[in-house]
Amino acid sequence: MDPLLDLLNSRPLVDGAERDALGDPDGGRRWAREHGGDGSLAELALLREARDALRDVVRGDSSPAALAPLLEGVRQIPEITSDGLRWTVETPPHARLAVDAVLAWAATEQHMPGRLRPCANDECRLFLLDRSRANRARWCSMAACGNREKARRHYARTR
C-alpha cells in the first residue's frame, strides 16, 4: 500500500474506538520497521507529528505551511548518473519516514491534485487516494463505508 496513506490511516476508528498504530512504543516500532524506519522514539514522535499535520492539511483545516517545520534541515542533493539527473534527499535518519511522507504528499498534490481526500463517511477517519478516471470516489472502502452510507440513505428514504 501507499506509505503516505498508511501513515494517514494509522489512526482509524474501529467499532467507535480509536486505534493508533503509532500510539504505543511496541506497535509504533513495528509500524516504522515495516515501512523502512528504525522505530526509535524520536522517529515515532516525528511520525505522529507528520501524520497529524498532514491530516489537517488534507482536510483543509491547516495550510500547507504547517508542514514546513517537518522539513527543517532537509536538503536535496543533485547527482549526475548514467541515467541523467537524480535527486537525493539528505535528512537525519530519525526524520526520513516523516520527510518521505511530506514529499509524497507534495508529489501527490502536484501530479494528482485533489485526489487525496478524507473518506466521505463522517464516522470514518480514513483517507483515500482516488485513482479513478472520473475522480468521484468518496469512500475509503466501498465494502465498509460505501455500503453503510448507501444503506443509511436507503433506510432514511423508505422511512
Side-chain angles (χ1 to χ4, degrees):
M1 188 170 179
D2 185 310
L4 174 59
L5 279 178
D6 282 352
L7 181 61
L8 284 169
N9 291 338
S10 66
R11 197 174 180 178
L13 285 178
V14 179
D15 297 325
E18 179 181 273
R19 296 224 177 127
D20 187 351
L22 304 174
D24 71 278
D26 291 335
R29 269 194 286 280
R30 187 173 34 260
W31 190 97
R33 288 179 182 144
E34 288 172 0
H35 290 83
D38 62 12
S40 69
L41 293 178
E43 181 177 55
L44 294 178
L46 205 51
L47 280 169
R48 286 190 294 270
E49 183 182 338
R51 176 191 57 200
D52 295 346
L54 285 163
R55 177 200 61 214
D56 292 346
V57 168
V58 172
R59 285 192 174 140
D61 298 335
S62 293
S63 140
L67 302 172
L70 296 166
L71 299 175
E72 286 179 14
V74 175
R75 298 180 344 160
Q76 279 194 321
I77 311 295
E79 180 183 346
I80 301 294
T81 68
S82 59
D83 296 327
L85 180 64
R86 183 178 79 182
W87 290 90
T88 303
V89 175
E90 194 175 274
T91 183
H94 76 280
R96 191 183 57 73
L97 287 178
V99 167
D100 286 350
V102 173
L103 295 176
W105 167 82
T108 300
E109 285 302 302
Q110 181 178 8
H111 299 292
M112 301 172 72
R115 300 281 182 139
L116 178 63
R117 55 182 166 260
C119 179
N121 179 354
D122 293 333
E123 297 171 9
C124 180
R125 287 195 185 161
L126 299 181
F127 291 81
L128 64 120
L129 182 58
D130 186 355
R131 293 181 173 97
S132 71
R133 179 174 284 184
N135 191 23
R136 296 181 66 197
R138 299 182 56 204
W139 300 289
C140 62
S141 162
M142 190 60 192
C145 291
N147 283 340
R148 280 189 210 133
E149 189 65 28
K150 287 182 174 187
R152 276 189 210 123
R153 285 193 308 225
H154 175 73
Y155 180 73
R157 279 195 310 268
T158 58
R159 275 183 63 178

